[in-house]
Amino acid sequence: FFTCLVILFACEVAAGIWGFVNKDQIAKDVKQFYDQAFQQALVAESETNNGKAVVKTFHETLDCCGPDNAIGAVTPLWRDDLCPKKDSVLKNIFESSNCHKKIDELFSGKLYLIGIAAIVVAVIMIFEMILSMVLCCGIRNSSVY
């Protein structure tokens, strides 16, 4: 178990370093994924569409509406089911920012939050490794086995 935790810890550290070095590429890939889901949500009309669920999750989490193009600018007018609801229609049109800008802000301005979460996970894993080694030594020294 300890060995598995060490391998997972090493993989998480490597993924964190790779993600920090390639944060611009990751932001580009996330925007591309969002654009594909947005196109899928515009084409399909059914509620069981996965693209629609992904787009709504992006919109609600980032408080944005539409991609960085002309279709995204008019989306609140004709597809109000995709965008988060505002108090009035004018607020919905003028205050909703595009999701590409919000994704860029997430990966540039709020990178420290992702780093804090990674550090918390790393500390928890270190405690898990310590406790698993204590358990292993306790079992080895036990006279029952």
Side-chain angles (χ1 to χ4, degrees):
F1 183 68
F2 178 78
T3 306
C4 290
L5 286 176
V6 169
I7 292 170
L8 282 173
F9 182 73
C11 290
E12 286 179 5
V13 169
I17 292 170
W18 180 84
F20 183 74
V21 171
N22 296 315
K23 66 182 176 187
D24 294 331
Q25 180 64 33
I26 293 171
K28 181 180 166 188
D29 290 343
V30 169
K31 287 190 271 190
Q32 185 178 13
F33 173 73
Y34 170 77
D35 288 343
Q36 290 173 351
F38 190 77
Q39 291 299 324
Q40 194 177 37
L42 289 179
V43 171
E45 291 295 325
S46 66
E47 287 294 324
T48 60
N49 182 15
N50 289 337
K52 193 171 190 177
V54 169
V55 168
K56 286 180 101 173
T57 303
F58 265 100
H59 290 172
E60 290 171 3
T61 304
L62 298 176
D63 193 28
C64 61
C65 184
D68 190 14
N69 57 23
I71 295 173
V74 297
T75 299
L77 294 174
W78 59 282
R79 287 302 299 263
D80 60 343
D81 59 330
L82 291 177
C83 297
K85 302 282 188 242
K86 302 280 186 194
D87 294 339
S88 68
V89 175
L90 291 175
K91 274 188 176 182
N92 205 15
I93 296 169
F94 294 113
E95 289 185 8
S96 63
S97 61
N98 64 55
C99 289
H100 284 197
K101 188 188 309 179
K102 291 285 190 164
I103 290 170
D104 284 336
E105 288 175 9
L106 177 69
F107 281 101
S108 62
K110 297 192 173 145
L111 191 63
Y112 68 93
L113 292 175
I114 298 170
I116 290 172
I119 290 171
V120 167
V121 168
V123 168
I124 290 171
M125 287 203 66
I126 289 171
F127 279 120
E128 289 174 353
M129 288 187 282
I130 291 170
L131 293 175
S132 70
M133 194 47 85
V134 168
L135 182 62
C136 181
C137 293
I139 290 173
R140 185 179 303 154
N141 293 336
S142 175
S143 62
V144 176
Y145 296 104

